[in-house]
Structure formats: C-alpha cells, structure tokens
Amino acid sequence: MAVLVERFARRDGNEQSGSVEQEASINGSPEIRYEMVPDRGVEAIVNRLSKWVVSILFASIILLRHDGTALWGIIGSVSNSALSLVLKRILNQARPDTTSRTDPGMPSTHAQSISFISVFAVLSVMEWLGTSKVSLFLSCLILASGSYFIRLRVSQKLHTSSQVVVGAIVGSIFCILWYTTWNSLLLEAFESSQLLQISVFLVAAALALAFATHVVLNWFRNDR
C-alpha cells in the first residue's frame, strides 16, 4: 500500500492537505481512494468560513446600531483594511513557504480585520449593556471566537505567528482610536449638523459599495 500526500490550493488562497491512497486489487488493477486528513480539513473549512462569520457579525452590529457610530464603523473597517495593504507593501515580508500565496504577509489582513470588528463589537456591547455579567460574557465570547479565527491563519500555514500578532495588535489599536475619536470629537458635531450626517452617510455607502465590489471581483477571479 502506498500513500501519497498532495497539497492543493483553495479559491481564497487557503491550503489543505489530503491523502491519496493507492491499493492493489485482486485483479492487479490499482484502486485510488482520496481521503481527507480530518483535523486539517475541518480547520480549513472553518478558516474559509471565518471571514463570512465575522462579516455577518459586523453587519448585525451595524444594523442594530443604525446610527452615526455604525456609519463611522463602516468607514473605519474599510480604512483598516486599506492600512493593512499599505503596511504589507512597506514591510514586504514573505508568507510561509508552505503556502502558494505570493503576496506579502506582514501584517495579516485577516487578523487585522477580525480584530477591528471584534473590538468594535465589544465596545458596542459595553456601550449598550454597560459593565455586567451578560456584557462580559458576550465580550469574552466575541474575543475568543476572533482569536480562534486568527489562530487558524497560522495553523493553515498562511501566515507566521508574528504576522497575525502584529495584524491583531494594529487592528485592535486602530479600532480603539477610531471609536474614541468618534465619541470624543465627532459625535456631537454629527448630531447637530445635517451636512455632516449626509457626508458621513455618503462616504460610508461609497466605501461599503467599493469594498463589496472588490470582494466579489476577487471571488470571481479566484474561481476561474
């Protein structure tokens, strides 16, 4: 019996291991059986779904808030992703050799985006519920889930540990500064100025549309 392990790249750049097992049948003709490595396969699926889970969480927070802070959060999320791309070009650190992705890996955009959204969700929960057992439980659940999704970028060999740690730190700090800037400097002006309200809405809508278009185009490009 001979077992061959193949590596193959997924649409979104994730890699997953599978095994091809070849057995000799009674009549001498070989039988080929494809077998997924269990742990790696499950984590690969979760990793691919993580961006959609986090996006749904962010969209839910935005819909529940439906206020100026929500619009500011959309602008901040897209700005955070753009910052990650700029930092990647500046630092230009390669990803692990085990991945087929050739773009720079420092910092991890996934880690930076997940951290921004997770911290934004926690700040929103604390603002709504105050400091209570429920808010602390929800905050810990959100941060634990975000941390697990970030860890998958390392276990799937798409980033090094330092790349996801830097991404998580940058995303968290950027979110805190973004959120604080809104509450301390812009919120009062937003509530009293209709022009500022319209401006923030238009910028948020334009960035959300541009980002959604970018995601869809990348999805189709990687699907070919």
Side-chain angles (χ1 to χ4, degrees):
M1 178 186 298
V3 178
L4 307 175
V5 176
E6 294 183 346
R7 302 193 63 85
F8 48 91
R10 289 295 187 184
R11 276 194 310 215
D12 57 354
N14 299 344
E15 291 186 347
Q16 188 174 330
S17 293
S19 65
V20 183
E21 194 169 287
Q22 184 175 13
E23 296 181 348
S25 61
I26 297 178
N27 59 9
S29 60
E31 283 185 6
I32 305 294
R33 184 170 74 251
Y34 289 85
E35 182 179 329
M36 188 71 66
V37 177
D39 293 338
R40 191 68 183 277
V42 171
E43 286 201 340
I45 294 173
V46 175
N47 179 59
R48 290 198 302 278
L49 293 176
S50 63
K51 58 185 177 183
W52 301 111
V53 173
V54 174
S55 297
I56 291 173
L57 169 65
F58 188 54
S60 300
I61 295 294
I62 297 300
L63 292 175
L64 287 172
R65 293 200 64 116
H66 60 273
D67 58 4
T69 305
L71 296 175
W72 188 245
I74 293 174
I75 298 173
S77 179
V78 178
S79 300
N80 177 63
S81 297
L83 173 63
S84 176
L85 296 178
V86 171
L87 292 176
K88 279 188 174 185
R89 300 306 175 190
I90 294 174
L91 300 175
N92 197 31
Q93 186 182 100
R95 292 172 181 262
D97 295 334
T98 49
T99 179
S100 61
R101 298 285 296 270
T102 58
D103 59 313
M106 173 67 85
S108 165
T109 302
H110 277 75
Q112 192 167 325
S113 298
I114 290 173
S115 296
F116 180 95
I117 292 173
S118 297
V119 172
F120 186 87
V122 168
L123 293 175
S124 295
V125 168
M126 299 300 291
E127 182 181 328
W128 290 334
L129 303 178
T131 304
S132 63
K133 291 182 179 180
V134 175
S135 64
L136 291 176
F137 171 76
L138 291 176
S139 298
C140 290
L141 179 62
I142 292 170
L143 293 176
S145 299
S147 299
Y148 173 70
F149 290 148
I150 290 172
R151 187 193 69 82
L152 289 177
R153 306 302 291 178
V154 178
S155 67
Q156 293 298 293
K157 310 298 183 183
L158 295 168
H159 287 283
T160 64
S161 297
S162 60
Q163 289 171 353
V164 299
V165 168
V166 171
I169 292 174
V170 173
S172 299
I173 293 176
F174 187 84
C175 181
I176 293 173
L177 293 176
W178 197 261
Y179 201 94
T180 303
T181 300
W182 173 258
N183 285 330
S184 60
L185 299 178
L186 299 176
L187 179 57
E188 185 176 349
F190 178 84
E191 292 177 343
S192 60
S193 172
Q194 187 174 14
L195 177 60
L196 184 57
Q197 293 174 13
I198 296 174
S199 299
V200 171
F201 173 79
L202 291 177
V203 171
L207 288 177
L209 179 60
F211 185 75
T213 302
H214 171 73
V215 171
V216 171
L217 289 177
N218 275 345
W219 188 84
F220 279 108
R221 187 180 301 116
N222 293 329
D223 192 42
R224 289 183 305 181

